[in-house]
Amino acid sequence: MSLTADELRERTRKLLAEHDFSDRLAFLRARFDAGLAWVHFPEGLGGLDAPRALQSVVDAELAEAGAPDNDPRRIGIGLGMAAPTILRFGTDEQRKRYLRPLWTGEEVWCQLFSEPGAGSDLAALGTRAVRDGDNWVVTGQKVWTSSAHTARFAILVTRSNPDVPKHQGMTYFICDMHAPGVEVRPLRQITGEAEFNEVFLTEVRIPDANRLGEVGDGWRVAQTTLMNERVAIGGHAIPREGGMIGIAAKLWRERPELRTPELHDRLLRLWVRSEGVRLAGTRLRQQLAAGSPGPEGSAMKLAFSTLNQEISGLELEMLGEEGLRYDDWTMRRPDKVDFTGREAGYRYLRAKGNSIEGGTSEILRNIISERVLGLPSEPRVDKDVAWKDLPR
Amino acid sequence: MTADLLYSDVEEDLRASVRSLLADHCEPAALLKRAESTEPYDLKLWRSLAADLGAAGLQVAEDRGGQGASAREIALVMEELGRSVAPVPFLGSTVLATNALLASGTDHELLGKLASGAATAALAVPLSTGPDRVKSTVDVSDGVLTGRVGTVADASVADFLVVPAGDGLYIVDTGFTVSELVSLDLTRRVADVTLSGARGTAIATGAAAAEALTAALTAGAALLASEQLGLADWCLEETVRYLKGRYQFGRPVGSFQALKHRLADLWLELVSARAAARYAADCLARRDPDLPVAAAVAQALCSEVAVHAAEECVQLHAGIGMTWEHPAHLYLKRAKANQIALGTAGRHRAALATLVDLPS
Ligand SMILES: Cc1cc2nc3c(=O)[nH]c(=O)nc-3n(C[C@H](O)[C@H](O)[C@H](O)COP(=O)(O)OP(=O)(O)OC[C@H]3O[C@@H](n4cnc5c(N)ncnc54)[C@H](O)[C@@H]3O)c2cc1C
């Protein structure tokens, strides 16, 4: 029998009564140990086996009390992707070892998936993993790895068997980013800063105990990671004008001298679309709470990226002359994505990544048309060919 | 209380009954034949829907002869009517006229008659009138109404009219003539109404009348969004079905990515449209003060999504989509007329500019 909203509220109040906020980390650890980190996780692993929808009860209670949070912007990959994958495929030791410091943010995670030759076609990747007794020896190059410079651990997909078709010969690991042979080099990007990196793996020894899932089953494990990545987006309720549109609307209200009829029309159109997408997100959460998740999940990321890009583009035009300036091109290695802490030019440029990271908009449209609408896939030439014989 | 954007089990049951009723009456061939006949409305279907299923009384309280449900259920019926472009006077009678009576607070016997499906009525304003532009062209003196109103929806089968005249709102049951126009929308007709010495019963005057009329048009806009949603839903579903089975260049046309991406985008538009239409219906049902914003957002989104879906439906059906025999054109005509009905998307955006403080 699962917990009710009232019981969770009680437990949250008890946590608040017993722990103050003076030591942020201590509070976060206590919250995890009380099962109030992600209530739908198992007991002992930060949860209480409660319905996922009830997390909002806990969050609301803690927010009202002004409790410190674990800053999901900084540890998004760990929370959204590594955690559900470890929960599903990890051994008991792995779950016990990794989930708590992951959730508190003591250990940041990154995702070593993309390679120079394998982005959208993730299953084409070539980073080799060769078995050597109780270890694996991993060599290859990963790229566009967000947060690799702050990460303690990585989720890593490798090629363990090149002689079978590409989806079959992959194996999934937890990689220690401090292990010998792991080298992280900043990759400066469109905004001037280096949020992502190149990661070179040279004969990195990974114990077999750090494997997630069976040997050769890496594709299936990676699917869990990717599915969770898309569900994580659009996950929490936002108020009207809560997203990028709020920034543009505020500018419009505060600066009458910037207004023109043409900008007005575009702003209103984007306002209406933002409100529609916001309501769709609300509807999606209501479906999840009612236990009937709709296919809308895969839609939210696609919708948000397009809107973010159009709105941030409009914002720059609204600014006119001021839009010709940029706040700062200094090469930095930030530890989180911060859309609101910087100016319009940054937002415009950073938003370009929204339709690329975590699956491009084109790939999402393929997913919607095939899995939601049931349209036939394109003819495939790579399905039954051994990975090593694929054209590159 | 927060908005409920889902469909309840009761609503899904209602959907199933309405859908199966409509399936029997709205075969494309039958729709076309009727559209060119002297009886463009299917009054047999109307009686089954309004009286037997009780759809006309959903929004009316039980002690006034209705079903005591809410605008949420009306919205659901609208979705299904949009999916089948059914030729029934539901918008004119059940949505516009009934909401005008409800908003005026009258207990006139007409409300009960409309709710039971025993009579139908039309709201005597041009169908293009949005909630923000109410202007009467009918004069009134000593309760006698004189004037002409163009392009009134569903007037040709109306037993009664609800007429904004002077500064009041009147019910009229005789003394008016209706002349059918050739309508862009073959399955929802508009007609000119002439009142020459009609004796009206005032149900509201002054500010109350203006408020009731705005409320009726706002309710109309909120609910029309559901019809637009249903229409778009049919267009997408039918296009997907067709493209899976249509072969060119040795493979199903629906396997070409250029088309798949267009359909994925259309589906994405529908996801927002559905949420917006449900939100508007729910706000109307709960009398939420956010209703004017909700209705304007729903119209601004859904009217364009419906037109886009219908236009894609014609284009992707190509040759067959351009024919008279294929029903795609009935959907396009309804979608385009609906885009103009109860305020265009542009007018709803302009109204929003004031409502949400984004002045020009
Ligand atoms: C800001 C940012 C952060 C990132 N962080 C990470 C990270 O932390 N870890 C990580 O592993 N990766 C990360 N990535 C990489 C990201 O996942 C890839 O860039 C993405 O999957 C696309 O791969 P690609 O860049 O190789 O493009 P390609 O796959 O080469 O695509 C090139 C173009 O072809 C299109 N295309 C490809 N295949 C198809 C198809 N079948 N149909 C239609 N069009 C197609 C694409 O949409 C794109 O427009 C990040 C990327 C960005 C921009």
Side-chain angles (χ1 to χ4, degrees), chain A residues 240 252-253 259 264 269 272 276 279-280 283 286-287 296 299 362 365-366 368-370 373-374 376 378, chain B residues 3 5-7 240 244 251 255 257 260-261 265 267-268 271-272 275 290 349 352 356-360:
Chain A
R240 179 173 287 163
W252 185 266
R253 290 184 189 116
R259 297 176 192 165
H264 192 225
R269 282 172 192 272
V272 167
L279 289 169
R283 187 158 192 275
Q286 292 182 353
Q287 283 177 314
E296 275 85 351
E362 289 73 24
R365 287 190 184 95
N366 286 350
I368 292 170
S369 58
E370 289 170 22
L373 299 177
E378 302 248 351
Chain B
L5 306 183
L6 305 181
Y7 301 104
V240 166
K244 279 193 213 173
R251 53 193 259 216
S255 68
Q257 200 180 57
K260 285 161 74 174
H261 283 194
D265 282 337
W267 178 81
L268 189 55
V271 169
S272 283
D290 201 34
R349 284 194 296 270
L352 265 180
V356 304
D357 184 30
L358 292 171
S360 60

Side-chain angles (χ1 to χ4, degrees), chain B residues 146-283:
Chain B
T146 315
R148 207 177 135 271
V149 188
T151 62
V152 177
D154 299 335
S156 48
V157 287
D159 304 308
F160 295 84
L161 296 178
V162 179
V163 190
D167 74 343
L169 199 55
Y170 296 81
I171 291 174
V172 168
D173 63 355
T174 52
F176 62 89
T177 56
V178 172
S179 59
E180 279 270 0
L181 299 167
V182 180
S183 301
L184 171 67
D185 182 353
L186 293 170
T187 53
R188 173 178 293 135
R189 299 304 177 96
V190 287
D192 283 345
V193 170
T194 309
L195 298 132
S196 43
R199 188 149 279 290
T201 312
I203 53 169
T205 51
E211 273 167 33
L213 188 56
T214 303
L217 293 167
T218 306
L223 292 166
L224 186 64
S226 286
E227 180 179 292
Q228 290 161 327
L229 168 68
L231 185 152
D233 204 37
W234 182 91
C235 290
L236 175 62
E237 203 175 293
E238 193 55 24
T239 307
V240 166
R241 194 184 64 78
Y242 180 71
L243 295 183
K244 279 193 213 173
R246 174 78 177 167
Y247 275 68
Q248 297 287 350
F249 303 96
R251 53 193 259 216
V253 176
S255 68
F256 286 97
Q257 200 180 57
L259 302 195
K260 285 161 74 174
H261 283 194
R262 272 163 71 171
L263 292 170
D265 282 337
L266 193 55
W267 178 81
L268 189 55
E269 288 178 35
L270 262 149
V271 169
S272 283
R274 188 176 306 279
R278 279 274 92 188
Y279 181 60
D282 195 67
C283 281

Side-chain angles (χ1 to χ4, degrees), chain A residues 77 110-122 142-147 189 195-196 229 350 352-363 366, chain B residues 257 261:
Chain A
I77 291 175
C110 67
Q111 177 198 14
L112 293 171
F113 280 24
S114 303
E115 297 183 6
S120 301
D121 186 7
L122 178 62
K142 297 287 176 175
V143 72
W144 309 304
T145 315
S146 307
S147 310
Q189 65 206 47
E195 202 185 278
F196 54 31
E229 177 171 30
R350 180 59 185 81
K352 293 292 168 250
N354 291 162
S355 54
I356 300 171
E357 59 197 334
T360 67
S361 292
E362 289 73 24
I363 294 297
N366 286 350
Chain B
Q257 200 180 57
H261 283 194

